[in-house]
């Protein structure tokens, strides 16, 4: 039992474990809740222009945090794709992984919603686009897959993440030619993930590879005991 406890502690301390666990738990929750309550949750958590307005008119931080855990479709699929976050934590460390993926999520959301605002202001989108449902973990997962494809260990596992991304790509990029918001966001999230992977490979801050402490040299004269 002793070797199991440290492993269990490491697992529980890993943010990837909690990300996958919450996404997995949301599957039965969204299935069991009445349809009107699920809709109300998605409307409240949506990262649309209406909710991203500054307080008290909106609730930007809450919607950005909660929307990641409220998929809109194929709820059962996302925990499997979210396993890529383990590879990101292994490569970058827990804090850097959380910071990088959170920034990818916030950045992709911010840019796409800014584009929605601009298009509404210039008449190329109806004003109702400010209130659309926009939830799900896809920006985080796409960024994580990009980092995993570039930095996962063992190296052969990168092929697994690449195949998973290629399988999901048609859905993720649906509507990209028409400037569909989520498709543009997926491209941005993937680009952010590639940037993080590249910076880590090159040893650039703030995601430089963690230094490995060299073992102290053995004292001369051989062992004393």
């Amino acid at each position: 039992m002793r070797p199991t406890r440290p492993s269990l502690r490491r697992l529980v301390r890993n943010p990837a474990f909690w990300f996958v666990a919450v996404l997995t738990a949301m599957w039965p929750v969204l299935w069991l809740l009445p349809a009107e309550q699920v809709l109300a949750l998605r409307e409240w958590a949506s990262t649309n222009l209406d909710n991203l307005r500054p307080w008290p008119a909106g609730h930007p931080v809450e919607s950005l945090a909660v929307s990641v855990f409220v998929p809109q479709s194929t709820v059962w699929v996302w925990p499997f794709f979210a396993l890529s976050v383990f590879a990101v934590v292994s490569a970058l460390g827990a804090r850097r992984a959380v910071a990088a993926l959170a920034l990818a999520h916030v950045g992709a959301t911010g840019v796409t919603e800014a584009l929605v605002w601009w298009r509404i202001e210039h008449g190329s989108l109806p004003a109702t686009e400010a209130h659309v449902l926009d939830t799900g973990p896809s920006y985080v997962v796409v960024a994580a897959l990009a980092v995993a494809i570039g930095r996962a260990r063992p190296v052969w596992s990168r092929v697994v993440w690449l195949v998973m991304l290629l399988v999901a790509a048609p859905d993720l990029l649906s509507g990209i030619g028409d400037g569909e918001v989520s498709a543009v966001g997926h491209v941005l999230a993937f680009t952010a993930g590639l940037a993080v992977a590249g910076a880590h490979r090159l040893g650039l801050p703030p995601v430089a590879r963690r230094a490995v402490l060299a073992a102290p040299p053995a004292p001369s004269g051989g062992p004393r005991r």
Side-chain angles (χ1 to χ4, degrees), residues 25-77:
M26 287 301 295
W27 182 9
V29 168
L30 295 176
W31 183 66
L32 293 171
L33 281 177
E36 61 272 15
Q37 292 186 17
V38 173
L39 178 59
L41 173 61
R42 285 177 173 149
E43 287 178 341
W44 182 86
S46 288
T47 51
N48 52 35
L49 288 177
D50 193 35
N51 289 340
L52 292 178
R53 291 180 297 171
W55 300 278
H59 45 276
V61 174
E62 295 92 331
S63 62
L64 282 166
V66 177
S67 65
V68 174
F69 301 103
V70 186
Q72 291 190 55
S73 60
T74 55
V75 179
W76 62 274
V77 166

Side-chain angles (χ1 to χ4, degrees), residues 155-209:
V155 174
W156 62 260
S157 66
R158 301 177 188 180
V159 178
V160 176
W161 305 123
L162 177 60
V163 169
M164 292 181 70
L165 181 62
L166 292 176
V167 168
D171 288 331
L172 295 173
L173 298 179
S174 177
I176 186 68
D178 299 322
E180 205 279 329
V181 173
S182 62
V184 174
H186 294 143
V187 173
L188 293 172
F190 181 73
T191 303
L194 285 183
V196 170
H200 183 260
R201 181 179 181 84
L202 296 173
L204 301 176
V207 289
R209 283 176 271 185

Side-chain angles (χ1 to χ4, degrees), residues 4 6 12-13 18-19 36 38 41 43 48 60-61 63 71 94 101 115 129 142 146 161 189 192 194 207 212-213 216:
T4 304
V12 171
R13 291 174 181 172
W18 292 108
F19 185 59
E36 61 272 15
V38 173
L41 173 61
E43 287 178 341
N48 52 35
V61 174
S63 62
L101 297 180
L115 290 174
E129 290 294 314
V142 167
W161 305 123
L194 285 183
V207 289
V212 178
L213 296 179

